[in-house]
Amino acid sequence: MSASAPLRQGTRLSAERVTFRFDGRDYTGQRGDSAASALWAAGVRLLNRSIKYRRPRAFLALGPEEPNALLTVGPDPACVPNVPAPQLLVAPGLELRSQNRWPSLRYDLAATLLGLGNSFWGAGFYYKTFMWPSWRTYEPLIRKLAGLGYAPGASTLPAVPVRHLVADVVIAGGGPAGLVAALGAARAGLSVVLLEREPVLGGELEFEAATIDGEPALAWVERTVTSLEGLGVVTLTSTALTTVGESLAIAHQQPAGMPGNDTLYRVHAPLFVNAMGAVERSIAFVDNDRPGVMLVGAAERLLARYGVAPGRAVVLFGNHDRLYAAARRLREARVPVLAIIDTRTVAESPLRPLLMADGVECLLGHTVTAALGSPELRAVTVAAIDAPTRTRRIPADALLVSGGWSPYVYAGLQSGGRPDYRAELAAFTAEDQPEWRLACGAAAGHTDLGAVIASAQAAGQQLAGRARHTGADFAATPIVLGADAPPALQPYFRSPADAADEKRQFVDLQNDVTVADLRQALAEGFIDIEHVKRYTTLGVGTEQGRTGGTLGAAVVAELRGLPPAEVGLSRSRGPFQPVPMQALIGHRTATELRPARRTALHELHAAAGGELELMGGWLRPRYYTANGASAAAACIVEAGRVRSSGGICDASTLGKIEIRGADAAAFIDRVYLGRPSSIAVGRSRYAVLLREDGMVLDDGLLLRVAADHFLATTSSSHLAHVLAHLEFHRDTAGAGRRVALTDVTEAWSVIVVAGPTSRTVLNEVLGGSGAAAVNRLSHMDVIDTTWGGFRVRVLRASFSGELAYEVHCQPAAAPLLWTRLAGSGLLPFGLEALDVLRVEKGYLTTSEITGQTTPQDLRMDRLVAAAPDSIGVALLGRPGLSDPERPILVGLHATDPAARFYGGAQLTETADSVHSIGYVTSSVYSPTLGRWVGLALVARRLAGNGTALVARDPIRDGDTAVSIVPAAHVDPRNERMKG
Amino acid sequence: MSSFGCPFCGPRPLEEFSFHKTLPNVPGGAFEEVYLRSDDPTDSHEHWQHRYGCRAWLYVRRNPSTGRILEVRQLTGSAP
């Protein structure tokens, strides 16, 4: 429509003109227009190309189920792909693009050069053809051609707010059924949330002329909406149901049909009503995907909402009486209707003789065999069903097709629901519904307005009954006059075609699934409808089987020679309507994805140039920039300083669980290896616990504070798992349950004080009685003391191999204590240096405790022997766990002191072997030894000291010769730590 | 199924609970306990924890086909 074209009249339109762009050209529509209607009105017949064969396409359905007319909105890179053009409202300056075409929509290179448009690639073609030398050879090219639209390079969409609503019932669908059910429920005193995917309520009443309770249908809608408002019903328009389960419906509101101003609703309601209507479906004939072939309902919406004629020479094709009602409305709007092709042999519609008298050719027992014209429709060929080869040609630029309506059953096929074939609908309804879920109206298989409204009235009463509301104030069922007659449908799914033409009989237009694909799937043994779906991609994508599912099932039934009831309908899960990931994510992006926990020393780390990184949910300093520009440089300085003099490290993130109670000692013997109940009060011990299957879950220290009071430390990242594990075994213990487990991780800050000078400096800082207590501590002793009025617990333990202390203190005391220690010459070191120190000593972290290693793999046999009854030990005797090929922990160093190797490298016996016998779990450059050292898991048969292996690392530094050495690379006799 | 009736906290949203495992379908030792879990489509015996609530471990009997919860009670140490 140019700016001077006359204004159109339609229920959705206002008089304001709106200019937008499509594929680089300006078009003018009216405020309220959808992109599809404005472009169709402007004469644009080609809106897109199809995903696989790049066939030219326009729109089929003109609703949210639209399989073809998906557009990309906005300029690169922050564009939004796959927005259905029928739902998308035009706005000034809106920039739209077609998809699946290159270089242009009208001339697509792939469709032309590769001949996709002619020699159709059938189901499974990719996997069978692109096998040599490997799928990878072809994948980049195929990926470039494949895909529904293109993923945007960036997103500037705002975060989507999530709103929670609580109600007695949520009703999906604001057509006549939903409105009547909502009114019934609300009058009975129930609180109701009503969802409608369109911007307006009333559904098909927008074009079906009828009188309800003596009023024109649209006036009745308006009055009913006012009543609902008065009863407090929450009505959400432009809001599609995403998923529904017992007592929770998730709905997505998207005004204007495109992302940008969305809201996600979580409606908590114990009852759900499906009043989502029915989806019209096509009939399979040759080239039934041509632009200009559209559903009858699409044409009716185009006309009523937007005042756009579907074409200048219109033919209708279908299997029911509604064709005649639609043809009459088209003619009343002066749309030229040339012919009505009815597959039935008898049609009793009283409208038929009237249309014939007006010169409309009305054929019975006939079918459309093919659409002609390229890219858009020019004519159709028609034949009698019993003589399909004797075709004749009828010129047409629009073919309105209708094979009937499939009730919107998808939500009804979850949670035990079952599809039930109904011959009078030639479609499935959902039966065996759980008590919380009802359906009414067209969704329940009703096809005329009177029955739709009566079923909704009944649903309202059922709701009141199920919610046990009494004293319901039900109005009389609304009286409907002048609605379209029942359709009197005869099942018809596919016109006759030669075998060679079946590959152009489309069943699922979004996924380019044809009758030939379905036949091939069956020939290859994919018989079950769910297997057919997965092999052919029938009903995947944004369309989710809504337009193609029933048709596909019916064609499969025909090919198998079975009634459709025995084939069934494939189930689709929510989201029933595409929803942007952004709407589901809500605000949980970037830094809000997970809360970043900060220790009490966070500000001090930042001020000291700590390079902070999120690890295990905590922001922790990897290294301090004063010690080097990179982690690799700084960690050498920091680790070297700990070994030569000393340093401090923030270990507050260590998990800490208090285990207290009369049964605490017996409990820890059951969950930990090594009989830890023998730890004396004031002592601590290294402790390991296993999962039920025998794999090491975690390690840490167990401190005995009092006879009935232990403190367990865990790895920072394993705390949640360990705590739940302990609670489970406490709660499932037959006896000995008098144990309280408390996570005290955040109640204690921990400062590690390590190095030869640690004792002297700690004495100096603590002073007084604290200093005396520290002086007396032997290795693994614990003492509780005070410092400046704060509680302090000092543990002499070492994760670095040096003389070291863990100072546990109240978080309020930590910054002061840290500052005093640093001021006395103990400079901070970060996690990278900690890793260097622990690998030099052969200590373990999650790199070795992977969840796949047993205590024997990690050389903890002594702990196992002492604890035959502990959890997990029972399964350690399985033969596979001592297999000579099973990896066991070893130390490694590069054979050439100048060479390096990295964690993750695979280990082989020789440089030309590709058989991995283990892998490097950790590796560091050791400043103490001046070479690369590491830990590895290596097959037991090769785990002897001195074995030469090759660390193979093709994507980084290539191969490095390594040798197996004792895991404790530095100070193997622990003289520094215990001295 | 979007909420649970916790025996201590009353009805709470599903997000607060975490599924642990189904119970073994044959009684026996550690191997059965770990590996021979039941997989009944309509009557599933399960362990859950009210992890983001009172942290109680729960025995839950549930129909996975319909999502209906048939029984929830505190784990008491005696089977199951």
Side-chain angles (χ1 to χ4, degrees):
Chain A
M1 182 171 80
S2 74
S4 60
L7 285 170
R8 287 174 276 122
Q9 302 290 322
T11 54
R12 300 275 177 97
L13 295 183
S14 75
E16 185 192 342
R17 291 187 198 272
V18 172
T19 300
F20 64 99
R21 286 176 83 77
F22 171 65
D23 278 351
R25 277 190 58 188
D26 280 342
Y27 293 90
T28 301
Q30 286 169 237
R31 175 84 56 190
D33 250 328
S34 73
S37 60
L39 289 168
W40 200 258
V44 177
R45 291 291 175 270
L46 189 49
L47 295 183
N48 224 343
R49 282 185 178 268
S50 69
I51 181 170
K52 192 167 157 193
Y53 301 136
R54 305 293 189 105
R55 303 260 295 181
R57 298 280 168 83
F59 56 84
L60 174 78
L62 208 76
E65 66 273 22
E66 174 57 41
N68 284 331
L70 306 180
L71 302 180
T72 298
V73 182
D76 278 330
C79 57
V80 180
N82 297 326
V83 178
Q87 302 302 101
L88 173 62
L89 297 187
V90 296
L94 195 64
E95 201 176 312
L96 308 176
R97 274 176 295 157
S98 54
Q99 301 183 160
N100 311 326
R101 83 290 189 274
W102 188 83
S104 75
L105 183 56
R106 195 148 278 274
Y107 177 76
D108 178 68
L109 190 67
T112 311
L113 278 188
L114 299 182
L116 304 191
N118 302 315
S119 61
F120 282 178
W121 304 8
F125 178 82
Y126 290 88
Y127 314 114
K128 292 176 199 155
T129 308
F130 297 105
M131 291 295 290
W132 190 92
S134 106
W135 163 250
R136 297 247 166 113
T137 314
Y138 304 97
E139 191 182 354
L141 174 69
I142 290 169
R143 291 262 178 247
K144 197 171 158 57
L145 293 175
L148 199 59
Y150 289 95
S155 176
T156 54
L157 295 172
V160 175
V162 178
R163 291 192 56 195
H164 289 259
L165 302 175
V166 178
D168 293 322
V169 56
V170 56
I171 299 177
L179 292 173
V180 169
L183 195 59
R187 281 213 174 117
L190 276 66
S191 59
V192 179
V193 173
L194 179 65
L195 310 173
E196 169 54 50
R197 69 190 186 191
E198 292 291 327
V200 297
L201 295 160
E204 305 282 87
L205 295 178
E206 211 166 10
F207 57 81
E208 184 174 346
T211 307
I212 306 177
D213 278 350
E215 287 177 280
L218 289 178
W220 175 85
V221 169
E222 211 166 296
R223 190 167 55 78
T224 306
V225 171
T226 308
S227 304
L228 293 176
E229 276 169 14
L231 290 163
V233 171
V234 176
T235 303
L236 302 171
T237 52
S238 299
T239 305
L241 181 72
T242 302
T243 64
V244 60
E246 188 176 357
S247 71
L248 177 68
I250 298 175
H252 173 229
Q253 187 174 53
Q254 195 172 72
M258 61 164 291
N261 196 15
D262 309 30
T263 306
L264 195 78
Y265 288 93
R266 294 172 70 89
V267 189
H268 303 265
L271 294 168
F272 169 75
V273 179
N274 174 3
M276 296 168 81
V279 180
E280 199 173 20
R281 61 175 180 271
S282 184
I283 293 172
F285 55 89
V286 172
D287 292 335
N288 58 341
D289 62 329
R290 285 282 177 245
V293 178
M294 68 180 80
L295 297 170
V296 171
E300 295 234 53
R301 285 179 213 122
L302 197 60
L303 189 61
R305 289 177 184 171
Y306 312 110
V308 178
R312 292 193 198 88
V314 175
V315 173
L316 288 90
F317 169 44
N319 55 348
H320 54 74
D321 277 349
R322 290 280 162 79
L323 299 175
Y324 303 99
R328 184 181 61 166
R329 284 192 280 271
L330 288 163
R331 285 184 57 80
E332 281 168 0
R334 299 207 180 79
V335 176
V337 177
L338 303 187
I340 302 174
I341 316 300
D342 193 333
T343 60
R344 299 171 302 167
T345 49
V346 177
E348 287 172 350
S349 169
L351 297 173
R352 189 165 173 272
L354 301 179
L355 288 160
M356 289 174 79
D358 280 353
V360 178
E361 182 177 12
C362 292
L363 298 174
L364 288 178
H366 274 64
T367 184
V368 171
T369 55
L372 306 176
S374 182
E376 68 252 38
L377 185 71
R378 299 277 178 221
V380 295
T381 56
V382 171
I385 291 172
D386 49 19
T389 53
R390 293 221 303 275
T391 60
R392 58 176 269 241
R393 181 188 158 106
I394 301 177
D397 66 349
L399 176 68
L400 316 186
V401 58
S402 178
W405 296 267
S406 307
Y408 198 102
V409 293
Y410 305 102
L413 298 182
Q414 300 294 328
S415 308
R418 177 182 61 77
D420 186 33
Y421 183 73
R422 301 258 301 272
E424 78 276 19
L425 301 171
F428 296 85
T429 54
E431 303 302 323
D432 293 351
Q433 296 298 294
E435 207 166 74
W436 55 270
R437 194 168 67 199
L438 303 178
C440 66
H446 299 285
T447 52
D448 69 285
L449 189 56
V452 162
I453 284 181
S455 80
Q457 181 85 0
Q461 294 180 3
Q462 261 177 295
L463 288 172
R466 288 193 193 179
R468 293 186 187 81
H469 276 261
T470 52
D473 161 31
F474 287 109
T477 305
I479 294 165
V480 178
L481 293 173
D484 291 348
L489 173 146
Q490 291 284 328
Y492 191 81
F493 298 104
R494 172 166 96 96
S495 68
D498 292 341
D501 288 334
E502 284 182 352
K503 63 189 177 186
R504 291 187 295 151
Q505 288 189 317
F506 286 85
V507 170
D508 174 339
L509 270 67
Q510 182 163 84
N511 301 298
D512 276 352
V513 178
T514 66
V515 172
D517 292 324
L518 298 178
R519 194 183 283 285
Q520 186 179 349
L522 294 172
E524 295 189 16
F526 297 90
I527 303 295
D528 188 278
I529 191 66
E530 298 288 358
H531 291 153
V532 171
K533 170 180 175 175
R534 279 149 188 82
Y535 191 62
T536 62
T537 70
L538 169 71
V540 306
T542 71
E543 187 266 359
Q544 285 292 299
R546 285 178 290 182
T547 59
T550 304
L551 181 56
V555 171
V556 167
E558 179 211 315
L559 299 178
R560 291 181 63 193
L562 291 174
E566 288 184 38
V567 168
L569 189 65
S570 70
R571 284 166 211 265
S572 53
R573 283 182 294 263
F576 306 117
Q577 179 74 19
V579 56
M581 295 297 269
Q582 187 136 13
L584 297 176
I585 294 164
H587 63 88
R588 296 184 297 269
T589 60
T591 54
E592 289 187 43
L593 186 58
R594 281 195 197 91
R597 303 167 83 183
R598 296 170 180 216
T599 72
L601 300 169
H602 180 82
E603 301 303 329
L604 293 175
H605 298 319
E611 192 66 30
L612 297 163
E613 203 172 274
L614 195 60
M615 270 178 276
W618 290 89
L619 273 172
R620 309 175 69 180
R622 282 181 65 203
Y623 64 98
Y624 294 85
T625 47
N627 300 322
S630 69
C635 75
I636 291 171
V637 172
E638 292 174 10
R641 195 188 284 146
V642 172
R643 295 236 185 270
S644 63
S645 58
I648 50 175
C649 177
D650 183 2
S652 304
T653 63
L654 270 180
K656 298 171 230 42
I657 300 169
E658 281 201 346
I659 303 171
R660 301 183 75 154
D663 295 324
F667 175 68
I668 60 168
D669 275 351
R670 213 156 61 77
V671 290
Y672 280 93
L673 296 181
R675 289 246 170 270
S677 62
S678 61
I679 301 170
V681 174
R683 292 281 293 163
S684 67
R685 192 183 290 171
Y686 176 71
V688 169
L689 72 173
L690 306 185
R691 297 192 316 219
E692 294 82 351
D693 65 358
M695 299 301 142
V696 177
L697 169 56
D698 193 34
D699 65 350
L701 298 181
L702 270 173
L703 285 62
R704 191 163 204 172
V705 179
D708 61 350
H709 182 183
F710 295 82
L711 179 79
T713 68
T714 77
S715 312
S716 304
S717 55
H718 278 168
L719 168 68
H721 191 168
V722 170
L723 182 61
H725 175 87
L726 296 180
E727 287 167 334
F728 178 77
H729 287 288
R730 187 261 320 266
D731 288 0
T732 50
R737 296 163 48 98
R738 287 171 301 169
V739 178
L741 297 162
T742 314
D743 173 12
V744 294
T745 301
E746 294 184 13
W748 293 94
S749 290
V750 177
I751 299 171
V752 164
V753 186
T757 67
S758 58
R759 177 161 28 207
T760 318
V761 175
L762 194 56
N763 277 336
E764 184 188 317
V765 170
L766 291 179
S769 60
V774 167
N775 255 336
R776 286 194 301 273
L777 289 181
S778 308
H779 185 59
M780 303 306 272
D781 276 356
V782 188
I783 189 84
D784 282 358
T785 178
T786 59
W787 178 70
F790 292 108
R791 290 171 61 200
V792 170
R793 175 175 291 152
V794 182
L795 159 67
R796 183 173 161 190
S798 178
F799 196 59
S800 56
E802 296 301 316
L803 170 67
Y805 300 86
E806 276 183 19
V807 183
H808 297 219
C809 63
Q810 288 170 262
L816 187 59
L817 185 56
W818 178 271
T819 308
R820 292 282 303 278
L821 289 164
S824 304
L826 290 179
L827 295 178
F829 61 99
L831 286 178
E832 296 285 348
L834 195 64
D835 201 45
V836 169
L837 296 164
R838 71 99 189 167
V839 173
E840 285 183 337
K841 281 294 293 177
Y843 293 153
L844 310 181
T845 64
T846 49
S847 302
E848 290 78 31
I849 300 176
T850 60
Q852 296 175 311
T853 43
T854 66
Q856 290 97 335
D857 295 342
L858 301 177
R859 300 185 186 270
M860 300 166 178
D861 308 62
R862 202 173 43 81
L863 292 177
V864 177
D869 302 323
S870 295
I871 285 160
V873 172
L875 290 184
L876 289 176
R878 286 175 287 165
L881 297 182
S882 51
D883 190 286
E885 292 298 323
R886 185 175 173 85
I888 191 168
L889 182 76
V890 298
L892 280 186
H893 69 205
T895 313
D896 171 0
R900 61 185 173 179
F901 61 100
Y902 292 120
Q906 296 295 316
L907 295 167
T908 60
E909 288 181 77
T910 58
D912 55 1
S913 170
V914 292
H915 175 63
S916 169
I917 49 87
Y919 69 101
V920 180
T921 56
S922 305
S923 82
V924 295
Y925 174 76
S926 162
T928 314
L929 302 171
R931 69 193 303 164
W932 282 77
V933 299
L935 300 174
L937 290 163
V938 170
R940 279 165 165 69
R941 67 180 168 88
L942 296 164
N945 285 333
T947 308
L949 297 172
V950 182
R952 309 202 62 183
D953 201 354
I955 59 170
R956 286 179 293 195
D957 275 13
D959 296 353
T960 307
V962 293
S963 315
I964 294 180
V965 294
H969 299 280
V970 170
D971 186 24
R973 277 193 290 252
N974 293 328
E975 285 156 353
R976 302 170 70 97
M977 181 166 77
K978 292 184 175 171
Chain B
M1 187 180 83
S2 72
S3 71
F4 253 90
C6 172
F8 300 101
C9 311
R12 301 295 304 168
L14 184 63
E15 290 90 333
E16 292 185 1
F17 296 84
S18 63
F19 171 77
H20 180 52
K21 62 176 184 181
T22 59
L23 297 180
N25 54 3
V26 285
F31 181 84
E32 289 77 6
E33 172 76 25
V34 171
Y35 293 107
L36 299 183
R37 306 278 181 77
S38 65
D39 186 20
D40 190 310
T42 58
D43 186 13
S44 185
H45 302 249
E46 302 170 348
H47 284 154
W48 289 68
Q49 188 183 23
H50 192 190
R51 189 160 290 179
Y52 304 101
C54 66
R55 297 195 66 88
W57 276 93
L58 306 171
Y59 165 76
V60 175
R61 200 158 71 83
R62 189 170 79 82
N63 180 341
S65 302
T66 62
R68 184 155 290 269
I69 295 173
L70 307 169
E71 186 182 355
V72 180
R73 58 182 160 78
Q74 186 195 5
L75 274 182
T76 55
S78 50

